[in-house]
Amino acid sequence: MTSYFSSDFKLAVVGGGQLGKMLLYETRKFDIQTRVLDPSPEAPARLAANYFEQGDLMDFDTVYNFGKEADVITFEIEAVNVEALERLQAEGKSVYPAPETLRKIQNKGDQKDFYTEKNIPTALYTRFEKLEDLKLSLTANQISFPFVWKSTTGGYDGKGVQVVRKQQDLDKLADVPCIAEAMIPFKNELAVIVVRNPKGEVKTYPVVEMEFHPEANQVEYVICPARIDEAVAKKAREVATKVSEAFMHVGLLAVELFQTEDDEILVNEVAPRPHNSGHYSIEGSYTNQFEQHLRAVLNLPLGETASKTGTVMVNLVGEEGYQGDVYYEKIQDILALEGVTPHIYGKRETRPFRKMGHVTIANSDLSKARAIAEKVKQTIRVITK
Amino acid sequence: MTSYFSSDFKLAVVGGGQLGKMLLYETRKFDIQTRVLDPSPEAPARLAANYFEQGDLMDFDTVYNFGKEADVITFEIEAVNVEALERLQAEGKSVYPAPETLRKIQNKGDQKDFYTEKNIPTALYTRFEKLEDLKLSLTANQISFPFVWKSTTGGYDGKGVQVVRKQQDLDKLADVPCIAEAMIPFKNELAVIVVRNPKGEVKTYPVVEMEFHPEANQVEYVICPARIDEAVAKKAREVATKVSEAFMHVGLLAVELFQTEDDEILVNEVAPRPHNSGHYSIEGSYTNQFEQHLRAVLNLPLGETASKTGTVMVNLVGEEGYQGDVYYEKIQDILALEGVTPHIYGKRETRPFRKMGHVTIANSDLSKARAIAEKVKQTIRVITK
């Protein structure tokens, strides 16, 4: 059996942002040697890596040569050169999650087609090769306002997604391959993290509830467990498991879901990696999502996904109107609040809505945690000095 | 107000062993810049430090020059050059815990005298300048068998401590300044971690129960909370608080205690730093001991010391008869057990009884956690391949 712990075994992580950084903490706990690749010399994950390389994640040679030196390769971001990962896999390296899954997920049209093919519930949609085709379809009454426009590639954190309510909104859309998706009147946006290892062992984390910032289309609060009926939670975990198994996924899969007005569960989209909706798990879960991802990609037994306590997670994003050297105004004040743990990602420069950190509030009384989260949000500001 | 987070503020940590390593995780969470000094080029804490220096912790110039470049200085081991810390403090640097406290604690005779002076309950003892004086005292029936011999300096992890039951045992003792301490018939060995910041805010963690390995005199299991009466627990926390306040301590103070047969609480000894008896807090507490130490030395509000769940911590020490490249036999098997989190310190070489890591078992049912801990202990072995 491979010995990962305090050995010469090497794990490569493509991408060195905050997800990579938090994953790296866990590799330290296991004392696993790591290689990290990121375009930024100030990547948050740089410090805890045994070896750091600055390079373009979309460049075939860079990713291929970087991965070649490792035993297992994983990634913390979807925007990576898939061909290089495929080549590494073909040459016998373990690449988890699988490059073919990443390829499907990178293209939102292919992702939706996959759900349809696998009988996974998702909102109705139509694919278009260019903007003109979408307009023709509207004229022909094949689709109608309002709908959600999504660029099939390159979308991230609300970019590449637009709600289109009227004719003029069409002017904001880029002329790229896209989908038009039915707008779902939903009660809640939920997420379930599923973990699966190569042996096929699979577990789900509890359902979380996401509250979005109305303007930035970024998650503002993540509440665990979601305040929903047990039957709905059960259905959500079942649907998420189905998605993971359809992909024969290895590693974490974060499945974002809609709970419709009539309590249907629809898959919105997935991320094949640790996810913002699972940050609560560092404080809340018996095994946090980062350790869990590590266990999965190393084919170790999976850890417990249950929670030790209720949690609410607050994203810390750059305040509008500020750009430059970051300053966490009143962070001392939030440290005095009950059950608060801050996670500062280590980006020196803030800009509007940039993810700069998050704060977890742990409390056995979830409504108390939610109230403290509100206070955190109202107190701390990510600005410049 | 000083800005610690993602700024140019620098924290120096003297010592880079496993305690430094775990403290470093927390500095990453806060994005605080760190400097670490350790004699070993393979120090466990090396990887997550912004700056690492290899050097002798007992050398005045090394420690002084290392500390001079930082804003706040702390340490993770008692065996450091106190004069250098005193000089840094005299020159206006914040050194926490205080060098004068460290000086008292480094000498077990002075430590005991301090307890006597401050009216803190501790076992009766007599100080001797040399072995000959102790022998004369025995002959004169001023002390009698059995007693506990402790070298006043240099003791660590059971070294420098001997139970002396009969005349022949005297031959094992070094001819150094020492104390002879009355042997306390105790029910339990307990510990309480106290945290205090410069503002004087003070909190105690729950009382933990320690089970020692009979041979190595090292802690084998730490159980939180201790399975003792509430009145005894209350008394233990009060005594520990009194010790912290007597020292005007800043940072963590781990207070090891005896619970006597008639439920008295006596102070055994203290450690002015994160402590093995607090490792459970990473998984168990709302704020773990390492984050707490950081909050204290940075004069930030203290975090919550309550537990989210019951925990049992198992030390992983090198198996007798093995020395060389470490191999964690059957670590995969323990990962399959409920609520298990391993912490591998990253030492490449094992030797008998060397602290190589620890495992925390978290469970809302403490007796279940204790049973799983037993299984962990029986399964994993720290050996060579």
Side-chain angles (χ1 to χ4, degrees):
Chain A
M1 177 162 292
T2 314
S3 178
Y4 306 116
F5 309 88
S6 298
S7 74
D8 292 326
F9 173 87
K10 282 182 194 66
L11 175 71
V13 182
V14 182
Q18 64 265 21
L19 300 174
K21 178 183 173 185
M22 290 183 273
L23 183 64
L24 267 272
Y25 298 161
E26 306 306 313
T27 64
R28 298 293 296 126
K29 228 163 70 179
F30 283 12
D31 193 41
I32 286 170
Q33 290 202 47
T34 48
R35 299 168 61 79
V36 169
L37 177 69
D38 196 87
S40 166
E42 294 185 333
R46 177 173 194 152
L47 207 54
N50 292 81
Y51 170 81
F52 176 80
E53 187 175 316
Q54 187 182 352
D56 182 355
L57 306 186
M58 294 305 287
D59 180 67
F60 180 93
D61 288 338
T62 303
V63 174
Y64 172 75
N65 290 322
F66 168 77
K68 228 175 35 177
E69 303 299 320
D71 300 290
V72 171
I73 297 112
T74 189
F75 47 85
E76 57 104 57
I77 185 168
E78 285 95 322
V80 306
N81 187 294
V82 187
E83 290 75 16
L85 297 181
E86 284 168 338
R87 170 78 68 90
L88 288 163
Q89 190 183 45
E91 290 178 2
K93 295 281 183 198
S94 297
V95 184
Y96 297 125
E100 58 177 300
T101 301
L102 183 57
R103 191 180 276 286
K104 278 191 196 103
I105 290 171
Q106 277 182 341
N107 185 301
K108 283 183 184 165
D110 292 349
Q111 196 184 141
K112 293 287 280 190
D113 288 352
F114 180 75
Y115 299 147
T116 307
E117 178 196 323
K118 294 290 183 179
N119 227 347
I120 288 162
T122 190
L124 290 176
Y125 66 102
T126 314
R127 283 183 83 156
F128 300 102
E129 271 315 299
K130 49 185 198 291
L131 192 56
E132 191 53 32
D133 296 348
L134 182 150
K135 287 177 178 166
L136 287 171
S137 185
L138 266 171
T139 314
N141 285 321
Q142 288 159 334
I143 64 169
S144 58
F145 298 117
F147 62 88
V148 183
W149 172 89
K150 293 180 178 173
S151 158
T152 55
T153 58
Y156 190 71
D157 269 351
K159 283 169 213 131
V161 177
Q162 290 283 346
V163 175
V164 181
R165 297 182 192 279
K166 51 187 191 298
Q167 198 65 37
Q168 296 97 296
D169 291 346
L170 294 172
D171 301 342
K172 293 186 283 189
L173 306 181
D175 184 14
V176 292
C178 64
I179 62 173
E181 201 177 72
M183 265 192 83
I184 304 297
F186 55 80
K187 278 187 198 168
N188 283 304
E189 294 202 50
L190 307 173
V192 173
I193 290 176
V194 190
V195 58
R196 200 173 162 280
N197 66 15
K199 283 193 283 270
E201 193 188 353
V202 58
K203 289 189 181 189
T204 56
Y205 278 84
V207 184
V208 302
E209 192 185 329
M210 300 187 289
E211 288 186 39
F212 280 75
H213 185 283
E215 218 168 314
N217 197 25
Q218 280 186 331
V219 177
E220 199 166 21
Y221 300 108
V222 173
I223 300 163
C224 181
R227 297 159 299 181
I228 55 174
D229 284 354
E230 213 168 305
V232 176
K234 189 167 173 279
K235 199 192 286 180
R237 290 172 91 152
E238 282 167 1
V239 168
T241 303
K242 193 173 173 182
V243 178
S244 168
E245 296 197 328
F247 281 119
M248 299 280 285
H249 195 69
V250 170
L252 290 188
L253 188 73
V255 184
E256 297 186 40
L257 304 158
F258 295 120
Q259 176 190 1
T260 65
E261 295 290 354
D262 52 352
D263 286 344
E264 282 307 298
I265 294 292
L266 300 179
V267 174
N268 179 16
E269 57 183 48
V270 301
R273 51 169 170 79
H275 192 249
N276 193 264
S277 68
H279 289 351
Y280 79 88
S281 66
I282 298 174
E283 285 77 21
S285 309
Y286 281 95
T287 304
N288 74 54
Q289 66 166 346
F290 300 100
E291 179 182 334
Q292 197 73 274
H293 186 67
L294 212 53
R295 286 179 181 232
V297 304
L298 299 179
N299 206 10
L300 292 166
L302 301 181
E304 217 177 325
T305 56
S307 292
K308 293 181 266 200
T309 180
T311 46
V312 177
M313 191 277 297
V314 180
N315 277 317
L316 296 181
V317 300
E319 192 86 4
E320 272 191 284
Y322 295 89
Q323 178 139 3
D325 284 353
V326 66
Y327 178 63
Y328 295 89
E329 191 186 59
K330 297 202 179 164
I331 186 167
Q332 279 87 347
D333 295 358
I334 70 159
L335 282 166
L337 301 174
E338 198 183 339
V340 161
T341 307
H343 293 262
I344 304 300
Y345 296 154
K347 302 171 184 173
R348 297 303 283 256
E349 191 177 323
T350 183
R351 49 175 188 265
F353 303 116
R354 186 177 194 196
K355 279 183 185 160
M356 300 297 289
H358 75 264
V359 176
T360 306
I361 298 95
N363 204 301
S364 55
D365 180 341
L366 194 61
S367 63
K368 257 196 188 167
R370 182 62 184 78
I372 295 168
E374 193 88 42
K375 216 165 172 180
V376 166
K377 192 79 198 170
Q378 286 162 358
T379 304
I380 191 170
R381 291 200 318 152
V382 183
I383 57 174
T384 54
K385 252 203 175 163
Chain B
M1 176 159 295
T2 314
S3 178
Y4 305 116
F5 310 88
S6 298
S7 74
D8 292 326
F9 173 87
K10 280 180 195 67
L11 175 71
V13 183
V14 183
Q18 64 265 20
L19 299 173
K21 178 183 172 183
M22 290 183 273
L23 183 65
L24 267 272
Y25 297 161
E26 306 306 312
T27 63
R28 299 293 295 126
K29 229 162 70 178
F30 283 11
D31 195 40
I32 287 170
Q33 290 201 46
T34 48
R35 299 167 62 77
V36 170
L37 176 69
D38 197 87
S40 167
E42 294 186 331
R46 178 173 195 151
L47 207 54
N50 293 83
Y51 169 81
F52 176 81
E53 188 176 314
Q54 188 183 351
D56 182 355
L57 306 185
M58 294 306 287
D59 181 66
F60 180 92
D61 289 338
T62 304
V63 174
Y64 173 75
N65 290 322
F66 168 77
K68 230 176 35 179
E69 303 300 321
D71 300 289
V72 172
I73 297 112
T74 190
F75 46 86
E76 58 103 56
I77 185 169
E78 285 96 320
V80 307
N81 187 295
V82 186
E83 289 76 17
L85 297 181
E86 284 168 339
R87 170 78 68 87
L88 289 162
Q89 190 183 45
E91 290 178 2
K93 295 281 182 197
S94 298
V95 183
Y96 296 126
E100 58 178 299
T101 300
L102 182 57
R103 191 180 274 287
K104 279 190 196 103
I105 289 171
Q106 278 182 342
N107 184 302
K108 282 183 184 163
D110 292 349
Q111 196 185 138
K112 293 287 280 191
D113 289 351
F114 180 76
Y115 299 147
T116 307
E117 178 196 324
K118 295 290 182 179
N119 227 348
I120 288 162
T122 189
L124 290 175
Y125 67 102
T126 315
R127 282 184 83 156
F128 300 101
E129 272 314 298
K130 49 186 197 291
L131 192 56
E132 191 55 32
D133 296 348
L134 183 150
K135 287 177 179 167
L136 287 170
S137 184
L138 266 171
T139 313
N141 285 321
Q142 288 158 334
I143 63 168
S144 59
F145 298 116
F147 62 88
V148 182
W149 171 89
K150 292 180 179 174
S151 160
T152 55
T153 57
Y156 190 72
D157 269 352
K159 283 167 213 133
V161 177
Q162 289 284 345
V163 175
V164 181
R165 297 182 192 278
K166 52 187 190 301
Q167 198 64 35
Q168 296 96 299
D169 291 347
L170 294 172
D171 302 340
K172 292 185 284 190
L173 306 181
D175 185 14
V176 291
C178 65
I179 61 173
E181 201 177 71
M183 264 192 83
I184 305 296
F186 55 80
K187 278 187 199 167
N188 283 305
E189 293 202 51
L190 307 173
V192 172
I193 290 176
V194 190
V195 59
R196 200 173 161 279
N197 67 15
K199 284 193 284 271
E201 193 188 353
V202 57
K203 289 190 181 187
T204 55
Y205 277 84
V207 185
V208 301
E209 192 184 328
M210 300 187 290
E211 289 186 38
F212 280 74
H213 186 282
E215 218 169 314
N217 197 25
Q218 281 185 331
V219 177
E220 199 166 21
Y221 300 109
V222 173
I223 300 164
C224 181
R227 296 158 299 180
I228 54 174
D229 284 355
E230 213 169 304
V232 176
K234 189 165 172 282
K235 198 190 287 178
R237 290 172 92 152
E238 281 166 3
V239 168
T241 304
K242 194 172 173 183
V243 178
S244 168
E245 297 198 326
F247 281 118
M248 299 280 285
H249 195 69
V250 170
L252 290 188
L253 188 73
V255 184
E256 296 186 40
L257 304 158
F258 294 119
Q259 177 190 1
T260 67
E261 294 292 353
D262 52 352
D263 285 344
E264 282 308 296
I265 294 292
L266 300 179
V267 174
N268 179 17
E269 56 182 50
V270 302
R273 52 167 170 79
H275 191 249
N276 192 265
S277 68
H279 289 350
Y280 80 89
S281 66
I282 298 174
E283 285 77 23
S285 308
Y286 281 96
T287 304
N288 73 53
Q289 66 165 347
F290 301 100
E291 180 182 333
Q292 197 72 274
H293 186 67
L294 213 54
R295 286 179 180 233
V297 304
L298 300 179
N299 207 10
L300 292 166
L302 300 181
E304 216 178 327
T305 55
S307 291
K308 293 182 264 198
T309 180
T311 45
V312 177
M313 191 278 295
V314 180
N315 277 317
L316 297 181
V317 300
E319 191 86 3
E320 272 191 285
Y322 295 89
Q323 177 139 2
D325 286 353
V326 66
Y327 177 64
Y328 295 90
E329 190 187 59
K330 297 202 180 165
I331 188 167
Q332 280 87 348
D333 295 357
I334 70 160
L335 283 165
L337 300 173
E338 197 184 339
V340 161
T341 307
H343 293 262
I344 303 300
Y345 297 155
K347 303 171 184 172
R348 298 301 285 255
E349 189 176 323
T350 183
R351 48 176 189 263
F353 303 117
R354 186 176 195 197
K355 279 185 185 160
M356 300 297 291
H358 75 264
V359 177
T360 307
I361 299 95
N363 203 302
S364 54
D365 180 341
L366 194 61
S367 63
K368 256 196 191 167
R370 182 62 184 77
I372 295 167
E374 193 87 43
K375 216 165 170 182
V376 165
K377 191 78 196 172
Q378 287 162 356
T379 305
I380 191 169
R381 291 200 317 152
V382 183
I383 58 173
T384 53
K385 251 199 176 167

